[in-house]
Amino acid sequence: MAAGRARRPLGPLWLLGPLRLGLLLLGQPGPAAASRSGSPSPRTGSVVRTFTPFHFLVEPMDILSVRGASVIMNCSAYCETSPKIEWKKDGTLLNLVSDDRRQLLPDGSLLINSVVHSKHNKPDEGYYQCVATVESLGTIVSRTAKLTVAGLPRFTSQPESSSVYKGNSAILNCEVNVDLAPFVRWEQDRQPVFLDDRVFKLPSGALIISNATDTDGGVYRCIIESGGTPKYSDEAELKILPDPEEPQSLVFARQPSSLTKVTGQSAVFPCVAVGFPTPYVRWTRNEEELTTEGSERFLFLAGGSLVISEVMEEDVGMYTCIADNGNETIEAQAELAVQVPPEFLKRPANIYAHESMDIVFECEVTGKPTPTVKWVKNGDMVIPSDYFKIVKEHNLQVLGLVKSDEGFYQCIAENDVGNAQAGAQLIILDLAPATTGPLPSAPRDVVATLVSTRFIRLTWRTPVSDPQGDNLTYSIFYTKEGINRERVENTSRPGETQVMIQNLMPETVYVFRVVAQNKHGPGESSAPLKVATQPEVQLPGPAPNIRAYANSPTSVTVTWETPLSGNGEIQNYKLYYMEKGQDSEQDVDVAGLSYTINGLKKYTEYSFRVVAYNKHGPGVSTQDVVVRTLSDVPSAPPQNLTLEVRNSKSIMLHWQPPPAGTHSGQITGYKIRYRKVSRKSDVTESIGGTQLFQLIEGLERGTEYSFRVAALTVNGTGPATDWISAETFESDLDETRVPEVPSSLHVRPLVTSIVVSWTPPENQNIVVRGYAIGYGIGSPHAQTIKVDYKQRYYTIENLDPSSHYVITLKAFNNVGEGIPLYESAVTRPHSDTSEVDLFVINAPYTPVPDPSPMMPPVGVQASILSHDTIRITWADNSLPKNQKITDARYYTVRWKTNIPANTKYKTANATTLSYLVTGLKPNTLYEFSVMVTKGRRSSTWSMTAHGTTFELVPTSPPKDVTVVSKEGKPRTIIVNWQPPSEANGKITGYIIYYSTDVNAEIHDWVIEPVVGNRLTHQIQELTLDTPYYFKIQARNSKGMGPMSEAVQFRTPKAESSDKMPNDQASGSAGKGSRPVDIGPDYKPPLGGSNSPHGSPTSPLDSNMLLVIIVSVGVITIVIVVIVAVFCTRRTTSHQKKKRAACKSVNGSHKYKGNSKDVKPPDLWIHHERLELKPIDKSPDPNPIMTDTPIPRNSQDITPVDNSMDSNIHQRRNSYRGHESEDSMSTLAGRRGMRPKMMMPFDSQPPQQSVRNTPSTDTMPASSSQTCADHQDPESTTGAYLANAQEEDSAQNLPTAHVRPSHPLKSFAVPAVPPAGSTYDPALPSTPLLTQQAPNHPVHSVKTASIGTLGRTRPPMPVVVPSAPDVQETTRMLEDSESNYEPDELTKEMAHLEGLMKDLNAITTA
């Protein structure tokens, strides 16, 4: 998308004339491109300028011809004005006027009569390109097409006489040049051969005859017919032999060869196998069976050859032909590679622009091999320069447009197999004429206040015509001295009188001029100012010919040469090196031209670079060179070696590779050493491959052997494991018959489950592969479960209570199932809770006494090593005190996490008393347990150990990022998001990045930090009608995670506030990235004004708007005065009634309960320090903060009548929904509210809290007013405070707002909550006062206090419900079990009266 500089969208763009609302307008080729894009049609004066459709209808294609033939290269172009067609051959225009063999056809195609081609004269072969030109519009060029002329007919191989057994396949060779292959045909006995799927011709020209029959015998020859006299090959006789009596060996007569094809072509893999019996041929692709069912592109020819038509990119792979005749099998392989011609993913778009602007034509292509891209303007190659640059590999950027840049630009992509072109038109618009009115004069005193090597800061004074200059915007034009291309930079906001011009060249003279613009248009230009940038410091260039080579497994030598541009004496060099994949670079100072670094890791890749230093400092770094240190023998033994006795003569070994980082090279195999324990000197070695297991056979019966394993590299053998012993069986177990009956079966019924336990058959010489458990109500055949042969118990779950179950148990092996054993049990009723089996609750099985039970491991511990590794250690009480393992036992470790709940256990075996569990998830709690197995006996699982892996930086970005506009505040937006899916720890914070340029470097984006428990944030003071891009990054204790994808949002246009919600709903400021829709019928203003942000407004509209605003204001004031007078009269009489009601309640009510049950908090004032302290310390740890306006005196409190309930309620809800964003709300800016003071958290005593009221819904405002003579209608938080100056309590508690340095710390007062009163929580913070207390009565008396845990946090609003009305209060006081006695309440009210006086004195001071 064409765009100006990064800052330009933020500023006024008077250069665009009628295009003020869009920097660049893009469209597709066609007459209505501008209208379709939703942008106005550009005008120059009264002439409408639109994009002109000009493109190729037909482009030339590659052609294969023969000598003497005629060829037509097709070409046809469309334009409203008939284009002139010309042709280029090999980049040079053809002169067709005097050419008698080549002529231009009426539609633009090129006709070549009688193609000329000889060994030394090939005038027609080459690359052709069609060129279309329209005068005063431009030129376009087509793709290039290759004309290939087949060479002279000659054979590279000819058919030879042969014989073939009946039913087999025969091949007759006739190899010719690839260009001539399409012109080859065959004859049998001088008659044409008809081709089908049994008799077919290969692309090379050879003939394959499959399933040979007697009729295939005869004399064959091939013929080349490429124009002129046909050329015949030698004749060859094919004999058909009868079937041989003895089998013939299977061989390939023709094997497939690897192919490279272009998409859309056909690929033929010949596969001809001969032998007796006749072979059957099948194919695989990438080791998967290849079938032709359901595929129209794959075809198996008779005899076994494979044809793939219309090759696609997914057809690549290794194809294997497998021939099998029942006696033997042979196979041959061939690889298919596919190339793809260039294709456009994004074509250039038409662009409108003005002179001096910067634009970018975008072009994205794909293909295989990767295509190269070049640009053509009006048929001529674009040569990159300072003003024409290739950016982002394929895009064309044009800087400082001039009128001559107008025309057609084409992106031409090409690779080895094709080329393609796509173009777009650039129209340079003239500036719109200025509207009637005074234009600004030239800016004064333009000076360069800061000059660097690559940037300059300009400042100036406002023009004489407008000394204030608040509404003026400026454009700065600049160019290199002697260059006629001017570039432009605009100021970012009205009234700004300075700008930074960047990306300049050092030691270069630039010419600057400044133009001011008001609502009528641009004014006079300032006088040109010449400024020369500073020369760059003469630093050394990169050191050439840097090389690195490994000397040993731990050292690398790096050499380089003196920089070609040293710019003075080289003082020293700094060599930087870093392990590949790490992010910490180390360096060393070097005086010479080489250095050897020691102490490196073995067989590890390192990158090296060199920087030369002179007296000015470090120079340009060299490119990184990467080298791997030499390999060595492994530095650690393999892990977790286990032995499994298979039978009396073999033992299976399993192990894991040495720990990562200790391989010291590529593991090439493992060396296994073993010996009899009784004869330690007689050691046998066995070297295996890289597999992690080995079966050792040929051992003696009943003999104990010791084994150890060591890893191998090309350098030798690493350290070996400790010796591990196992004893072979005395005799092999019998599996010629089924197992005998298990020796015992026990059942233990529970309510919904039955624990089944058993012992194995007494005859343990018969193989037992497992046990089958059958069960059911009344019959054991309803359900069957099979378990492993090692298992001795099982819990049958999900049974019915109080039901009679029959259970059967059978041992089985590969022969079958043995004799069953039966038991029955009745599950317990639901009401039976006796004999709760704790073991059954905590483990799936109940242990059963075994003839020789194994004791489970004890002392299982989990040691956390990293974010994905935990070491498990344990002890085995069945071992000696030194815990040395001398027998063939092994341990099974299992582990799982409870998130999600249905996670399955993972297991691993170990032969030592520890195991390293790897591959775990970060910041995840795992549970581990261990069991021991010796021979055929196993223990139960041990007690579980738990461990939580360390945290890791988040590996996924925050998700569901959305941006919405704030209603009524067009310059404020709300960003919402969800935590990362892979947080890998507790999120401690977020960083919001936003910018108007999505391609800007990340350090140029504006950042907004947000605490980790927040998922929403406000950003204020944004520029109207501007696209912004937002990214979010999450942070935990380990660091920053990845950024989210950029989300685009355009702020609303500057319109009246009452229209803003509708504008947002219509899409101008909603979610996503929808552009501003101007409409196709937009006309540029002729007499309007230009707002600072590009919104044109006519003087007539401004006057009408002013009249409307004044009228509405006058009407509103009249209505407010009438309502105020009416409400004041009603309130006066209403308050008298309320005072009487309050006195009646406080004086005549009988309190229930004891006064000692609940005492109000005692409050006192320390007169020397003026500090309020609460007696009652609430245990609630949640810190809160007040955000409530406090009346300065009694006159500030406005009476409110019940008739205004709904208005106040709406006002409160509106305020909460829009203003209580505690992270960004500008509290001091609220209109109609008195200044507030916020109490910081660090100025409050710890462990204070708000006791939550039971209300959770929306809060009525004054409908619940009780005994309230005074109320501030703007007090939106509704905090309570008892007013002791009156006999009745106030509805709203005015909460003290104290500056951070004020000595007033905190206070707490009793308040009566409303019955069922509710409130609407404010966006986005979670209200702390609405959490329902589950175990408290609804009418309990609560207190509110300010407190903190000692942490410094920003202020937070406190919302407290208002008091109920008189009747509700009376009912609550009657039902309460803990209330004050009348005397105590009177004393407290008097106490609070004094407190209020002191508070008023403090807040007014």
Side-chain angles (χ1 to χ4, degrees), residues 1234-1252:
R1234 295 175 177 85
K1236 307 174 187 64
M1237 292 175 288
M1238 303 301 294
M1239 183 179 294
F1241 276 79
D1242 53 6
S1243 66
Q1244 304 166 24
Q1247 298 181 351
Q1248 296 298 314
S1249 66
V1250 173
R1251 299 184 180 181
N1252 302 332

Side-chain angles (χ1 to χ4, degrees), residues 627-707:
V627 66
R628 185 188 292 273
T629 53
L630 299 180
S631 61
D632 197 2
V633 297
S635 56
Q639 304 178 94
N640 300 325
L641 173 62
T642 60
L643 307 178
E644 180 184 347
V645 180
R646 286 293 180 91
N647 50 45
S648 61
K649 294 184 178 181
S650 64
I651 294 178
M652 174 66 79
L653 284 72
H654 289 272
W655 62 90
Q656 291 179 336
T662 64
H663 294 190
S664 302
Q666 194 75 31
I667 300 293
T668 58
Y670 293 91
K671 180 183 291 186
I672 301 169
R673 296 181 179 181
Y674 61 96
R675 67 190 183 194
K676 295 180 183 178
V677 173
S678 59
R679 298 179 61 184
K680 295 186 177 181
S681 61
D682 188 8
V683 177
T684 304
E685 283 191 0
S686 173
I687 297 179
T690 56
Q691 73 273 9
L692 301 177
F693 58 89
Q694 183 73 36
L695 180 65
I696 305 298
E697 299 181 296
L699 306 179
E700 298 181 8
R701 299 173 181 268
T703 305
E704 188 174 7
Y705 286 86
S706 293
F707 297 84

Side-chain angles (χ1 to χ4, degrees), residues 115 415 532 553 690 717 852 1124 1277 1290 1353:
V115 170
N415 61 10
T690 56
T717 307
S852 54
T1277 56
R1353 293 192 182 180

Side-chain angles (χ1 to χ4, degrees), residues 863-871 916-920 949-950:
S863 303
I864 293 87
L865 301 183
S866 70
H867 66 275
D868 64 350
T869 305
I870 294 180
R871 181 179 294 280
L916 202 64
V917 182
T918 59
L920 304 178
T949 50
F950 293 150

